[in-house]
Amino acid sequence: MTMHINLSPEMEGFIKGKVTNGFYGNATEVIRDAIRRMQSEEIRLAAWQLAIRQGDEQLDRGDEIVYSSQTRDTITELAIAAMHGTKPLDPDVLP
């Protein structure tokens, strides 16, 4: 599908710079990568909002977990074990 879009001079310069620097082969690759990143961000945001709703529902039911130094230590141990495991890391905990 062919689309024609109008870009500001700043956006056009940014895209041309990515191609000139060799990071992308052409402007189409830059745009496609930008769209993929936006789609990924929408998925992450939806998952984050769902987690918040689930947490709110747990609190409403009284299913909260008391946070203590022991809870923190357990979470830390699980995170360290996950870092050294074979499972891929959850993208929500990556910087």
Side-chain angles (χ1 to χ4, degrees):
M1 174 175 145
T2 300
M3 295 181 103
H4 298 279
I5 58 172
N6 295 317
L7 300 172
S8 68
E10 294 82 12
M11 288 181 176
E12 187 176 337
F14 180 82
I15 292 169
K16 285 181 179 179
K18 292 293 183 182
V19 174
T20 300
N21 290 335
F23 197 75
Y24 295 92
N26 56 51
T28 299
E29 290 179 9
V30 178
I31 300 300
R32 286 180 179 159
D33 188 42
I35 292 169
R36 279 191 294 272
R37 290 171 187 239
M38 285 189 299
Q39 290 170 327
S40 176
E41 185 60 26
E42 283 184 8
I43 291 167
R44 284 175 50 106
L45 180 59
W48 181 69
Q49 290 170 334
L50 175 61
I52 290 172
R53 277 194 306 276
Q54 289 173 336
D56 286 342
E57 290 168 2
Q58 287 175 334
L59 288 173
D60 290 343
R61 290 191 309 265
D63 293 342
E64 70 271 1
I65 297 172
V66 177
Y67 189 83
S68 65
S69 59
Q70 183 180 1
T71 306
R72 182 201 59 226
D73 293 344
T74 300
I75 292 169
T76 301
E77 289 171 14
L78 290 170
I80 291 170
M83 277 183 4
H84 299 292
T86 58
K87 291 169 109 177
L89 294 177
D90 183 341
D92 290 333
V93 298
L94 297 175

